[in-house]
Amino acid sequence: MKSNIFKRLLSLLLVLMFLIGTAVVSTTSYSAAESDAAATGEASNAEPKLNEYKIVSPVPSGSSITPIAQPARLDSLNGKTVALVGGSFSASVTHAVIRDMLVEEFGCKIYFMDEIGKGGTYNPNNPSDKSIEFQKKLKDYKVDAVISGNCGCGICTVKETGNGLAAECAGVPAVVVGAEAFVPQIESTGYNRGVPVVRTAAYPGAFASDTTEEQQRKAREVLYPQIVKALTTEITQDEIDRIAGEIASKKYDDIVFTGSFERVQQFYEVGEMTDGLTVVPPTREKVEYYLQYTTYEATDIVNSRDGSVQDVPPANKEIYAYHVAANAIMAGCPPEYMPLCIAIVRCFANGNFYKSLASTHGWTPYVLVSGPIARQLGFSYEDGMINQEANKLLGRFVSLAMLNLAGYKIKENRMGTFGYMLPFAFAEDEQTCLDIGWAPYHVGKGYDLNRSVITCGSTLTWGNPIDIGTTKYEKAIQLLAWDVTEKQQNGLGNTNPREARMIWLTKKAAETIASGCSSKKELEGVLKDTARRPLWMRTYAHYWANTGSKIHLNTTFDQHYNDIKRGASTENVERDYVSTTSVPEWLAGVVPYETLDTTQTISEGNTGFVITGGDISSQIQIMPGGDCCSFNVNLPRNWNTLVANEGYSPIEDYYLSE
């Protein structure tokens, strides 16, 4: 709250200073050229006086989703048919209370929880089969209103809000239940997906920290009155204005502020257009210069494919190449990074990359630069790589692109409990790959060896690599397999044990393992068989550390163990692959058995191996987290001429031979 008040005061101060500055400027004499420039808003070619910069906005204004006209709210709930849907964060507890109260007070007909299903994450431009089926059931069952919940984490908020959005788009008024801290995310998720107002019922505190009795009390005393009001009072223009704000109709290249370097920093900070670090002022002239290094014109939409615009959640903007350049400049990237920045933004439109970025678990995005462009522009794969200049600058671009181009805002729709590390970039030692007979990462994904490629992914862990203190291939594999079972998607591995991982190997570690594995694919197959986690550990984590469901309130530990063993689905994975196997080597002497129920932690095609980090140590770093996606880096035809001006050799000098 204090931060918001400070920003408002600072914003007012900036406006006043700008007005004062304008008054002072009006008494100053200009040359004819300077007067013309001032009248048109154009930046002067002269050296800026008083350290002034005329800057453009890094935030796109056009949306790829057309807002809907929302259905009317209900006159009364008497005798209405209401669907209570969802299932996250003790919804079975709070929904049950709300159900009973609706029946008692209004005589409602209720469809409860899974009786009518759920739509999940909803995008009106590309609704999933699940969402379409959910909307059909609302119509077939003649549902008058939908109550969805509960929102208590970054990912489940998007999912549970999606039920409400699908209902609103199907003409059914809805209300979404969420913890107070997640109400801004619910509202922004709705607005960015074309529903101007998502009515909410705010739960005080956190669901997971309350007893069942306390959850029931809050459902009766706090949630229920909000739900009734939300469904029976019409949406007002004030609500629309509060959520949407005043959206000015501006040109993409309008000058949005003029001021000193210091004032530019304050302008972007107050406007929530920076990640808190110093930015380079993006002027029109500089943006236009950067665009020369791409295959795009200023108003070309970067997030388009095959003639259609691809949504980039959560803001779902039409992202011009102009805005990409503005953010690249702000990040301090040189102009030759523009093709990389364009490719990164294209990755933002891919669900394999963006689906986890809002979570409370704090996924940190990363970028892998592959092919000759990495070597030409000097992206490091040596020790200390992510702290090298090129790698840091591209990571900073990702940070600003998430904020300004994609629309992620901390505490609004990016909900990491402890916050986020800064994104980073790295490259692969592709020559070593070829020397030991392994395909570089991008080649394994189907790209030509000398094709430049960007891969975007995310991770939940950082640091704490394992040292390979042996040159014996078998023992190195066992150490790697052990660490795979320890580093899973969430802490203790309470969700999907076969989640995607990116595994870094230094040159020495890769050489040791390559002595027994002729390819990365063979290595993945070996790990699929050896990296198995005891089912007891998997069950314990899911039983006690899955606060969203409180499984321990509904079944015994032994029953849950046997359910998973028989192939039952959990919230996060369709099924586990459980077998009775020999006790893993690293547990021999600890477990007094010869065999053990274990679950698979590696899926085919879901693990990336990258040789990186130099050759000063024999280490492996496992980064569990989200899936990855890759895109070509498209270079303009005059690329070599352009980069020659920046001191680079032709890109062909950096080609490799198989």
Side-chain angles (χ1 to χ4, degrees):
M1 181 64 72
K2 290 181 180 178
S3 176
N4 289 336
I5 293 173
F6 173 76
K7 286 184 176 180
R8 291 190 183 100
L9 290 173
L10 185 55
S11 180
L12 178 60
L13 178 62
L14 281 171
V15 171
L16 290 173
M17 294 186 71
F18 180 72
L19 292 174
I20 293 170
T22 302
V24 172
V25 168
S26 66
T27 65
T28 304
S29 62
Y30 289 97
S31 68
E34 288 173 326
S35 298
D36 289 342
T40 61
E42 296 288 344
S44 170
N45 290 327
E47 188 71 14
K49 297 179 180 179
L50 300 177
N51 190 25
E52 280 194 341
Y53 296 87
K54 297 178 183 292
I55 57 172
V56 297
S57 174
V59 181
S61 57
S63 175
S64 61
I65 294 180
T66 303
I68 66 167
Q70 290 182 252
R73 305 301 101 169
L74 304 175
D75 294 333
S76 168
L77 290 176
N78 288 325
K80 300 299 184 183
T81 299
V82 180
L84 287 98
V85 300
S88 300
F89 283 86
S90 301
S92 60
V93 176
T94 56
H95 274 14
V97 173
I98 293 163
R99 172 196 61 195
D100 294 345
M101 295 182 74
L102 288 172
V103 171
E104 181 179 351
E105 182 175 358
F106 298 107
C108 292
K109 179 180 180 180
I110 302 292
Y111 289 104
F112 192 67
M113 304 291 280
D114 288 336
E115 288 180 330
I116 203 167
K118 59 191 78 171
T121 302
Y122 184 72
N123 184 336
N125 279 2
N126 186 26
S128 66
D129 292 342
K130 189 176 180 180
S131 295
I132 294 171
E133 177 63 22
F134 176 69
Q135 291 176 315
K136 181 177 184 300
K137 284 188 176 181
L138 294 179
K139 181 178 179 180
D140 292 346
Y141 287 57
K142 296 181 170 58
V143 172
D144 297 303
V146 166
I147 302 167
S148 181
N150 289 330
C151 302
C153 76
I155 291 179
C156 70
T157 297
V158 178
K159 178 176 63 176
E160 302 300 359
T161 303
N163 296 325
L165 303 184
E168 294 278 351
C169 290
V172 179
V175 59
V176 178
V177 180
E180 287 174 324
F182 291 87
V183 169
Q185 185 183 8
I186 295 170
E187 292 179 338
S188 63
T189 298
Y191 180 77
N192 291 327
R193 284 166 171 74
V195 179
V197 175
V198 179
R199 285 276 175 79
T200 63
Y203 182 93
F207 295 99
S209 62
D210 287 343
T211 63
T212 299
E213 292 73 19
E214 186 67 7
Q215 291 173 344
Q216 292 170 332
R217 184 190 69 79
K218 289 182 178 180
R220 285 192 304 272
E221 298 177 6
V222 182
L223 294 180
Y224 182 72
Q226 293 182 72
I227 289 170
V228 173
K229 182 178 179 181
L231 292 175
T232 58
T233 58
E234 286 301 326
I235 293 171
T236 66
Q237 188 61 45
D238 286 345
E239 283 182 277
I240 296 174
D241 291 342
R242 179 182 65 81
I243 295 173
E246 184 180 354
I247 301 177
S249 178
K250 293 183 177 293
K251 287 183 60 181
Y252 68 94
D253 62 347
D254 278 352
I255 300 298
V256 295
F257 186 75
T258 301
S260 68
F261 184 85
E262 292 76 15
R263 297 296 180 226
V264 167
Q265 308 307 314
Q266 292 174 339
F267 174 82
Y268 283 132
E269 181 67 28
V270 169
E272 297 184 318
M273 291 179 279
T274 177
D275 52 9
L277 301 177
T278 301
V279 298
V280 177
T283 62
R284 280 177 173 168
E285 293 85 356
K286 201 158 191 174
V287 169
E288 290 164 2
Y289 179 71
Y290 271 51
L291 289 171
Q292 297 178 57
Y293 286 74
T294 78
T295 59
Y296 290 79
E297 299 295 329
T299 57
D300 286 345
I301 298 174
V302 173
N303 53 311
S304 64
R305 208 170 178 197
D306 299 328
S308 63
V309 178
Q310 306 294 300
D311 295 323
V312 176
N316 298 305
K317 300 288 189 180
E318 292 180 343
I319 301 171
Y320 290 173
Y322 196 93
H323 299 114
V324 178
N327 282 274
I329 292 166
M330 290 172 66
C333 293
E336 60 269 24
Y337 288 19
M338 276 298 294
L340 307 180
C341 295
I342 294 284
I344 289 170
V345 174
R346 296 183 70 196
C347 287
F348 272 109
N350 188 296
N352 286 333
F353 176 47
Y354 69 66
K355 67 181 179 182
S356 60
L357 297 181
S359 172
T360 51
H361 290 276
W363 272 269
T364 295
Y366 60 75
V367 175
L368 169 60
V369 187
S370 299
I373 195 73
R375 295 180 289 279
Q376 185 186 36
L377 300 186
F379 284 87
S380 177
Y381 54 77
E382 300 289 349
D383 54 290
M385 59 189 181
I386 72 165
N387 300 112
Q388 300 305 304
E389 182 180 16
N391 303 50
K392 286 193 297 184
L393 291 176
L394 198 62
R396 178 76 193 289
F397 169 78
V398 175
S399 177
L400 293 176
M402 290 188 69
L403 178 66
N404 293 323
L405 302 181
Y408 290 100
K409 294 187 178 181
I410 301 297
K411 295 186 179 182
E412 179 180 311
N413 49 31
R414 197 162 188 236
M415 304 301 294
T417 301
F418 301 112
Y420 299 86
M421 299 186 298
L422 286 176
F424 56 87
F426 61 102
E428 183 169 25
D429 185 352
E430 295 173 14
Q431 185 59 60
T432 292
C433 288
L434 300 177
D435 292 343
I436 66 176
W438 287 7
Y441 178 87
H442 70 294
V443 175
K445 292 297 181 181
Y447 294 93
D448 292 338
L449 174 63
N450 289 312
R451 182 67 176 171
S452 295
V453 177
I454 280 288
T455 297
C456 287
S458 57
T459 179
L460 282 165
T461 64
W462 176 250
N464 199 21
I466 56 172
D467 287 287
I468 306 299
T470 175
T471 57
K472 293 182 178 179
Y473 150 75
E474 297 87 353
K475 292 301 177 186
I477 283 288
Q478 288 169 8
L479 291 170
L480 175 53
W482 180 8
D483 206 35
V484 165
T485 66
E486 295 291 329
K487 292 178 179 173
Q488 302 194 41
Q489 184 184 38
N490 292 339
L492 302 181
N494 62 35
T495 52
N496 185 356
R498 302 185 305 279
E499 186 54 74
R501 296 173 180 85
M502 182 69 79
I503 298 179
W504 292 354
L505 306 94
T506 64
K507 181 178 180 179
K508 291 181 180 179
E511 288 172 343
T512 296
I513 292 176
S515 66
C517 280
S518 61
S519 66
K520 292 178 180 179
K521 185 174 181 60
E522 183 181 349
L523 173 56
E524 183 182 58
V526 172
L527 288 175
K528 182 179 177 182
D529 295 333
T530 57
R532 299 190 63 88
R533 193 179 199 206
L535 180 59
W536 190 90
M537 295 174 69
R538 154 71 168 145
T539 305
Y540 194 93
H542 192 257
Y543 192 76
W544 292 110
N546 193 336
T547 58
S549 300
K550 293 194 174 181
I551 298 167
H552 60 279
L553 298 179
N554 303 311
T555 188
T556 67
F557 181 90
D558 288 344
Q559 182 61 52
H560 194 50
Y561 180 101
N562 288 319
D563 286 344
I564 295 178
K565 185 175 180 178
R566 285 194 294 265
S569 64
T570 64
E571 303 92 331
N572 309 102
V573 59
E574 184 177 350
R575 59 164 295 186
D576 275 48
Y577 293 101
V578 179
S579 300
T580 300
T581 65
S582 299
V583 172
E585 183 70 21
W586 52 91
L587 290 178
V590 177
V591 178
Y593 312 107
E594 292 184 357
T595 60
L596 201 64
D597 290 336
T598 59
T599 187
Q600 180 182 322
T601 62
I602 290 279
S603 289
E604 185 175 352
N606 212 22
T607 305
F609 300 94
V610 177
I611 300 178
T612 193
D615 60 0
I616 65 172
S617 62
S618 181
Q619 289 186 332
I620 298 176
Q621 169 69 52
I622 298 175
M623 301 191 298
D627 296 327
C628 298
C629 67
S630 301
F631 277 100
N632 288 323
V633 175
N634 294 319
L635 304 177
R637 291 185 177 181
N638 61 336
W639 176 252
N640 284 337
T641 301
L642 288 168
V643 296
N645 297 329
E646 311 293 339
Y648 294 97
S649 301
I651 195 167
E652 291 80 10
D653 291 354
Y654 300 93
Y655 283 4
L656 298 178
S657 300
E658 295 188 50

